[in-house]
Amino acid sequence: MKKVIIILSIMFTSMFFCGCKEKIDLNEYLDIKIEGYDTIGKAYYSIDYEEIYEDYEKVFDKKIGGKWGEDFNSLGIEFLLAEAIGGELSKTEGLSNGETVKFDWKIKAQQIEEAFKVKFVYKSVEEKVKGLEEGTLFNPFDEMKVTFGGTSPNGYIDIQENFSV
């Protein structure tokens, strides 16, 4: 029984020290902005690749050899992160207060994870639309007077506007 416990503890210890990967929570670097007016709001997202690099600089600064090493070392990790990590919003235009916009991650970072021994963790994010201003409806023709005059073919148009909006 002692041998089994010793063997198991050695296995778990070696797995802990050899198989550890730095976990990077991508949701911390996601920013969703919703702006505009109610019923015509727009949603945008951004991922701060520079901050990912800065927060994990020690992990990403090592030189990589092998199959992918030349790409990683020459292009720069921020460029590679931007190429491998992205996503999509469920709706970007015509937003109204009270709606929900969902962001789904699109990740193609297996090579980065293997080369730098990191694991990207993430989950879909839902953002409720709120704070969009109410638009003001107006008829521009209520604010102008159009008069036609003259005789054919020398007609003219006179527009008098008084836009208060």
Side-chain angles (χ1 to χ4, degrees), residues 139-145 159-165:
N139 183 348
F141 297 104
D142 290 344
E143 303 285 330
M144 68 172 59
K145 182 179 177 184
I159 300 175
Q160 297 174 346
E161 73 343 271
N162 184 21
F163 289 117
S164 60
V165 178

Side-chain angles (χ1 to χ4, degrees), residues 142-162:
D142 290 344
E143 303 285 330
M144 68 172 59
K145 182 179 177 184
V146 180
T147 309
F148 299 95
T151 352
S152 181
N154 298 319
Y156 66 89
I157 185 170
D158 182 36
I159 300 175
Q160 297 174 346
E161 73 343 271
N162 184 21

Side-chain angles (χ1 to χ4, degrees), residues 2 7 13-14 22 31 36 48 50 58 64 78-79 82 87-88 105 107 109 111 127 137 140-141 148 154 156 162 165:
K2 276 187 172 180
I7 292 172
T13 305
S14 65
E22 184 82 40
D31 184 32
D48 195 341
E50 185 176 328
K58 289 181 182 178
I64 301 298
E78 290 176 48
F79 175 78
E88 187 173 86
W105 289 95
I107 308 294
Q111 296 161 344
E127 186 85 18
L137 293 176
F141 297 104
F148 299 95
N154 298 319
Y156 66 89
N162 184 21
V165 178

Side-chain angles (χ1 to χ4, degrees), residues 102-156:
K102 184 177 180 185
F103 178 83
D104 288 315
W105 289 95
K106 307 286 185 216
I107 308 294
K108 304 173 286 187
Q110 181 180 358
Q111 296 161 344
I112 295 173
E113 289 178 329
E114 290 172 4
F116 293 100
K117 295 186 179 22
V118 297
K119 178 69 178 157
F120 295 112
V121 293
Y122 50 89
K123 61 182 177 180
S124 295
V125 176
E126 289 189 358
E127 186 85 18
K128 189 165 185 156
V129 178
K130 59 184 176 198
L132 296 177
E133 295 180 43
E134 292 293 326
T136 304
L137 293 176
F138 72 96
N139 183 348
F141 297 104
D142 290 344
E143 303 285 330
M144 68 172 59
K145 182 179 177 184
V146 180
T147 309
F148 299 95
T151 352
S152 181
N154 298 319
Y156 66 89

Side-chain angles (χ1 to χ4, degrees), residues 47-100:
I47 301 167
D48 195 341
Y49 303 106
E50 185 176 328
E51 190 174 342
I52 294 172
Y53 172 74
E54 288 173 2
D55 289 351
Y56 295 92
E57 189 172 356
K58 289 181 182 178
V59 174
F60 291 126
D61 268 354
K62 64 181 181 179
K63 290 285 183 194
I64 301 298
K67 185 177 176 182
W68 308 108
E70 189 175 315
D71 290 339
F72 288 128
N73 297 326
S74 65
L75 294 175
I77 192 63
E78 290 176 48
F79 175 78
L80 295 169
L81 289 172
E83 289 295 310
I85 298 170
E88 187 173 86
L89 290 167
S90 60
K91 190 173 180 184
T92 58
E93 294 182 353
L95 299 172
S96 299
N97 288 322
E99 283 188 79
T100 301

